[in-house]
Amino acid sequence: MTTGRRGRLTVYLGAAPGVGKTYAMLDEACRRRARGTDVVIGLVETHGRAATVDRIRDLEMVPRRLVEHRGTMLTELDVAAVLERAPKVALVDELAHTNAPGSQHAKRWQDVHDLLDAGIDVVTTVNVQHLASLTDDVEAITGVRQRETVPDQVVRDADQIQLVDLSPQQLRRRLAHGNVYRAEQIDASMSSFFRVGNLTALRELALLWLADRVDDALTRYRADHAIDGTWPARERIVVAVTGGPETETLLRRGARIAQRAAGTELLAVHVLPTDGLPSTPSATISAHRALVESLGGSFHTVVGEDVPSAVVDFARGVNATMIVVGVSRHSVWRQALLGSSGAEIARLSGAIDVHLVTHERARMGVGVGSRYSSLSPGRRAAGWGSALAMPTALTAILLLIGRDDVALATDAMLLLAGVVGVAMIGGLWPAIVAAIVSNLCLNWFFTPPVTRWTIAEAENVFALAVFVVVAVAVASVVDLAARRTTQAYRARAEASTLAALSRSVLSGQDTAQAIVQRLAQTFAMSGVRLEERADERAPWTVVAHESRGAEQVPDGPVTEVAIDDRHRLLLAGRVLPATDRQVVEAFGAQAGIVLEHRRLREQAAQAEVLEQTERTRTALLAAVSHDLRTPLAVIRTAVDGLASPDVELDREDRDTLTATIADSTHRLERLIGNLLDLSRLQTGAVRPALRAASLEEVVPIAVEPWLSGLALDVPEDLPLVRTDPGLFERVVANVVSNAVRHSPAGAKVLVTASATRETVELRVADTGPGVPDDRKATMFEPFQRLDDTSTGGLGLGLAVASGLAAAVGAWIAAEDTPGGGLTMVLTVPRARDADHDGMGL
């Protein structure tokens, strides 16, 4: 059935078994039925509770599906029957239930999705301990690991979630009165899972999880209705992070405030300038991010021209109830002139509380050295030198030209250009000094009366004042642009380097080697080495290196960057500045993560090999215990019959017993041969001797034991093939043996051969039951037997045939026989001229 709409999902969520989820679901079903809604029970677990059994009597129930598993009959939700019944509403209990093997889906919530896709509304139940994200928390609380889980998103996507809540005392009373479990289970349950502490913690988990879901709905509602105001439905603390030394104090204070009420969120926000370039070192921001996450909060970065406005906009966007901001580090006089971010945030916050935190750096001022810290010492020295030299040189040039030939405005503009040049060389403060010196030169040499500090005309006073203001402003802008340009170049270089590293990793190169190569190229180092050690006392070993010599880092200054206790980077060639070292540390952190992932992948691969080996060993022991015992038992019985003095056997009986012994011995030899071949293949001990051979010689020998059941058609004029005749004979024998074993009684197996331009094909066709398409991909694996019912072998024949065929350069494919059955196609490459020469042809 399809209605063109998806059904609605209603979930009854409980903190523990016995709170009344199923009863509440049935109660809703009865109310809907009374309103005329078509309601059926797809599956409800009563657990023998009388009240629940009594509640379902008036509701229609779809019969369950019976599933046999290990000799036990299990009942499951019959999805097909519910779809055929096509009700308006279906009740499906225990959403996290795991279906019996052989079901269409592994989990019941997947069955529910099929009903929803068909347009059927579903009402279901689930306990909070079955939510996948809370599995570890529930185990820590109760000591019980939940095996049946449902993804959180399945429940979050429900159209309606109803919390069924009982206090721990009420639930324990229900348990004591026998309303949850049988009498013999009550004492054990109350002293283990149903302890008051456990139930209280589970109840809090359920309430908090549902609060998160309700909060998501509230956020969507506010966004859909364009509501900008703050609704204090839940406590959210926003900490404004500047990146300065006071940040740790602010974060810890915000965390303490958040811990006063359960469920309070901690969010840290850092505002970048509008150009997106960081004004705080990335290593500092990373450290603050790690601190926030360790405190249970989240770190956010936003871009804004005005820091207070950006912080308040972010707080309103997340529906925060409080903003934590530090007292300004600027001095008192600067705060008096320009104000402070904390005061501006308080003015803009509106209904959001603002918590102002003092700290050790409050009102101590911000060092001016940071303004040009990105400049090299040589640049700074040149800037201070040019602050005096530039105005002096320009004044001398203007004096040589002559005061009468150049107007005062031209003198001022030329000296202003000199101030801009100083700003580009040495930054802001040398430019300010140059502006003051230029102003003095203008006053002394070019402003009437000259060679005096007095100024005759009032407008010249104004002009000189404007000159100083404009010079300082222009110098500030030029200095800022120069610093931003330097940061932009650095950011672009870092991004380009990280992108190149990512490309090398994605392209399949060795990750560790890619990292050291990129480091050496990016920072022009003569040598880079990545080392690791097993523990703190173990010696260092080289993981990857890049240098002009051997594995050793060349002589010269060596910079050591510690990744963690077990990994480090060594860089040689020059001493890295602090800014470059931060980038190298970021590379090192990525290298540590990559190495850890590689180690985990290697461990996973080893575990998979061990698991596969264990499965093979288990299957081998299980199969050998049966399939080797059968021929041995037959041989033993036949030998006892022949050797018994109490039984007189005629010649025909003796011949029959002798033939039975021979047949069983042949089967035993074949089983042991397959086991030995499989062992040789798995250990790589097969060494084929490839040469030119004729199928006319190989095939008859291989099929001789089954010749009476075959129809053989191998032309004599077939070209020679390149193979190992002995190994290929085993391949053909195993394939033919498998075909004969699965063919109907009296039906012959057809063996034909034909040639193409490059290969020769040998086709073995039977008319047996065939193999489903989904089994053809696994039929060449060890211990695979059709429907696990064959008693003719261990299921190794095709696995050995496939392995030996690959060893001799051939391959096997399975096709359906027209009219029914299976056709095995053996494809062998044709022999080359060199192979013919090897045969002396």
Side-chain angles (χ1 to χ4, degrees):
M1 179 196 77
T2 176
T3 63
R5 76 166 185 92
R6 181 175 172 82
R8 294 177 57 82
L9 177 63
T10 300
V11 177
Y12 280 88
L13 175 68
V19 296
K21 304 181 303 299
T22 303
Y23 191 89
M25 177 181 68
L26 293 171
D27 197 43
E28 178 181 345
C30 291
R31 289 196 302 271
R32 293 196 185 194
R33 182 174 178 274
R35 294 195 299 265
T37 305
D38 183 15
V39 181
V40 302
I41 294 177
L43 186 145
V44 167
E45 298 291 355
T46 65
H47 298 290
R49 297 165 189 167
T52 305
V53 174
D54 183 67
R55 199 62 174 155
I56 66 176
R57 289 177 179 172
D58 296 333
L59 296 173
E60 178 185 350
M61 185 179 300
V62 176
R64 300 189 186 190
R65 178 173 57 89
L66 296 178
V67 180
E68 182 180 359
H69 179 59
R70 296 180 179 177
T72 302
M73 297 303 297
L74 305 176
T75 61
E76 295 290 353
L77 172 66
D78 195 335
V79 179
V82 176
L83 292 174
E84 183 178 359
R85 170 62 177 76
K88 174 65 177 175
V89 180
L91 307 184
V92 181
D93 208 2
E94 297 185 357
L95 185 64
H97 172 75
T98 301
N99 292 330
S103 301
Q104 180 180 1
H105 296 302
K107 292 288 188 176
R108 185 169 291 167
W109 62 264
Q110 296 170 312
D111 296 335
V112 167
H113 273 201
D114 288 348
L115 301 181
L116 296 173
D117 291 338
I120 301 174
D121 295 345
V122 176
V123 184
T124 187
T125 65
V126 70
N127 283 328
V128 69
Q129 66 261 32
H130 296 298
L131 296 175
S133 67
L134 302 179
T135 302
D136 293 337
D137 296 334
V138 172
E139 183 179 11
I141 294 169
T142 65
V144 179
R145 185 73 176 180
Q146 298 295 326
R147 301 301 178 186
E148 293 186 328
T149 61
V150 59
D152 288 44
Q153 198 59 42
V154 174
V155 183
R156 282 186 178 272
D157 290 341
D159 299 276
Q160 186 176 1
I161 301 178
Q162 296 282 352
L163 179 65
V164 182
D165 187 34
L166 276 182
S167 68
Q169 292 76 13
Q170 289 176 305
L171 182 54
R172 283 172 60 86
R173 280 198 297 270
R174 289 199 65 205
L175 182 66
H177 294 159
N179 295 330
V180 179
Y181 293 141
R182 294 189 301 271
E184 60 272 17
Q185 298 177 285
I186 293 175
D187 291 340
S189 299
M190 293 188 70
S191 61
S192 56
F193 187 89
F194 286 84
R195 294 196 298 266
V196 173
N198 289 355
L199 297 178
T200 302
L202 291 174
R203 188 186 189 195
E204 183 179 25
L205 278 181
L207 292 171
L208 290 176
W209 188 92
L210 187 59
D212 284 335
R213 202 270 184 181
V214 173
D215 190 70
D216 292 341
L218 178 61
T219 301
R220 288 195 299 270
Y221 180 84
R222 295 177 69 243
D224 293 341
H225 293 78
I227 299 174
D228 296 329
T230 302
W231 287 6
R234 181 176 183 177
E235 292 290 332
R236 281 189 179 85
I237 310 299
V238 171
V239 180
V241 174
T242 63
E246 77 281 2
T247 298
E248 183 174 345
T249 301
L250 299 182
L251 291 174
R252 296 192 183 279
R253 179 65 60 84
R256 287 199 297 272
I257 296 173
Q259 291 170 359
R260 294 173 185 172
T264 301
E265 288 187 41
L266 176 66
L267 303 95
V269 59
H270 177 66
V271 180
L272 291 176
T274 52
D275 54 14
L277 297 175
S279 56
T280 303
S282 57
T284 302
I285 296 299
S286 299
H288 293 161
R289 183 187 300 273
L291 176 59
V292 172
E293 293 174 351
S294 68
L295 294 173
S298 57
F299 192 93
H300 305 267
T301 302
V302 298
V303 176
E305 182 176 356
D306 182 65
V307 172
S309 298
V311 171
V312 174
D313 290 342
F314 174 82
R316 288 194 179 123
V318 298
N319 201 24
T321 56
M322 180 183 291
I323 300 175
V324 176
V325 62
V327 174
S328 176
R329 284 180 286 146
H330 294 300
S331 58
V332 176
W333 68 266
R334 179 163 180 174
Q335 291 186 50
L337 292 175
L338 303 177
S340 66
S341 297
E344 186 66 11
I345 289 174
R347 187 183 69 82
L348 298 173
S349 62
I352 305 176
D353 296 336
V354 176
H355 188 83
L356 199 61
V357 178
T358 188
H359 50 85
E360 295 180 354
R361 299 286 300 180
R363 300 183 181 89
M364 294 181 62
V366 181
V368 298
S370 61
R371 297 284 293 173
Y372 53 83
S373 60
S374 61
L375 299 178
S376 64
R379 283 276 301 275
R380 293 200 295 270
W384 286 112
S386 62
L388 297 176
M390 186 76 71
T392 302
L394 291 175
T395 300
I397 293 173
L398 291 172
L399 290 174
L400 290 175
I401 295 175
R403 296 190 185 96
D404 298 333
D405 296 332
V406 181
L408 179 61
T410 303
D411 297 334
M413 293 300 295
L414 187 58
L415 288 171
L416 180 61
V419 172
V420 173
V422 173
M424 296 182 66
I425 295 173
L428 177 62
W429 290 102
I432 293 176
V433 173
I436 296 173
V437 174
S438 298
N439 179 60
L440 295 176
C441 290
L442 275 174
N443 186 6
W444 183 265
F445 292 105
F446 302 105
T447 304
V450 295
T451 65
R452 294 184 183 181
W453 296 116
T454 59
I455 302 174
E457 299 179 9
E459 62 178 289
N460 289 338
V461 176
F462 179 74
L464 290 176
V466 171
F467 173 84
V468 173
V469 172
V470 171
V472 172
V474 171
S476 177
V477 171
V478 171
D479 172 67
L480 178 62
R483 288 188 292 110
R484 291 306 188 200
T485 300
T486 302
Q487 292 176 346
Y489 279 128
R490 176 172 296 277
R492 185 172 66 180
E494 294 174 7
S496 176
T497 302
L498 292 173
L501 176 61
S502 300
R503 285 196 300 271
S504 65
V505 173
L506 293 175
S507 62
Q509 300 179 18
D510 179 75
T511 304
Q513 189 63 32
I515 289 173
V516 297
Q517 287 178 352
R518 290 296 173 185
L519 281 174
Q521 295 171 6
T522 302
F523 299 101
M525 306 301 293
S526 59
V528 178
R529 190 169 67 193
L530 177 61
E531 298 181 340
E532 70 175 356
R533 59 183 177 181
D535 52 58
E536 295 183 358
R537 298 181 179 179
W540 292 100
T541 59
V542 178
V543 176
H545 73 281
E546 179 70 15
S547 64
R548 298 190 183 97
E551 289 189 353
Q552 300 301 319
V553 172
D555 295 333
V558 176
T559 301
E560 178 180 340
V561 177
I563 300 174
D564 52 40
D565 293 339
R566 298 180 54 247
H567 301 93
R568 70 177 181 179
L569 281 168
L570 296 179
L571 300 93
R574 64 186 176 93
V575 178
L576 286 178
T579 52
D580 285 348
R581 186 182 179 92
Q582 293 171 3
V583 182
V584 173
E585 289 175 350
F587 268 78
Q590 185 172 0
I593 294 173
V594 167
L595 291 175
E596 183 65 17
H597 285 180
R598 186 170 68 176
R599 184 183 66 82
L600 293 176
R601 286 197 303 269
E602 291 174 353
Q603 290 181 350
Q606 294 174 357
E608 185 176 357
V609 171
L610 292 175
E611 184 180 359
Q612 178 63 33
T613 302
E614 184 63 25
R615 286 199 302 265
T616 301
R617 182 183 295 110
T618 302
L620 176 62
L621 292 175
V624 166
S625 64
H626 177 271
D627 291 278
L628 290 184
R629 184 186 303 159
T630 301
L632 287 174
V634 172
I635 293 173
R636 176 62 182 270
T637 302
V639 169
D640 289 344
L642 289 173
S644 176
D646 300 328
V647 179
E648 294 184 3
L649 301 174
D650 55 22
R651 184 177 183 80
E652 183 178 354
D653 291 336
R654 289 182 176 275
D655 291 342
T656 300
L657 292 176
T658 303
T660 300
I661 294 173
D663 180 66
S664 297
T665 303
H666 177 70
R667 285 179 55 194
L668 193 59
E669 290 176 346
R670 190 167 67 250
L671 291 174
I672 294 175
N674 282 333
L675 287 172
L676 293 176
D677 287 339
L678 181 64
S679 176
R680 293 172 60 204
L681 288 170
Q682 290 182 339
T683 57
V686 176
R687 298 289 185 271
L690 302 180
R691 62 177 179 84
S694 171
L695 288 185
E696 185 184 3
E697 300 176 359
V698 174
V699 174
I701 298 175
V703 304
E704 183 178 0
W706 308 278
L707 199 57
S708 60
L710 302 180
L712 195 60
D713 183 13
V714 180
E716 298 180 358
D717 57 350
L718 283 175
L720 299 178
V721 297
R722 174 179 170 79
T723 187
D724 182 317
L727 294 179
F728 190 69
E729 179 184 325
R730 294 296 309 276
V731 175
V732 176
N734 282 5
V735 171
V736 171
S737 170
N738 184 75
V740 171
R741 185 164 61 251
H742 292 95
S743 293
K748 288 186 175 293
V749 174
L750 178 61
V751 181
T752 62
S754 59
T756 65
R757 183 176 180 180
E758 300 291 337
T759 62
V760 175
E761 289 187 352
L762 183 69
R763 307 178 72 87
V764 180
D766 64 60
T767 56
V771 176
D773 290 338
D774 58 344
R775 291 285 301 276
K776 290 177 182 176
T778 59
M779 63 186 298
F780 296 103
E781 297 178 3
F783 310 109
Q784 299 294 319
R785 296 188 297 184
L786 184 62
D787 297 330
D788 289 333
T789 57
S790 172
T791 59
L794 296 174
L796 297 177
L798 292 182
V800 172
S802 177
L804 292 177
V808 300
W811 56 94
I812 305 177
E815 300 176 356
D816 293 330
T817 301
L822 184 69
T823 299
M824 304 295 292
V825 182
L826 304 178
T827 304
V828 195
R830 293 176 60 163
R832 302 187 297 266
D833 293 339
D835 300 319
H836 294 177
D837 296 341
M839 293 183 66
L841 298 176

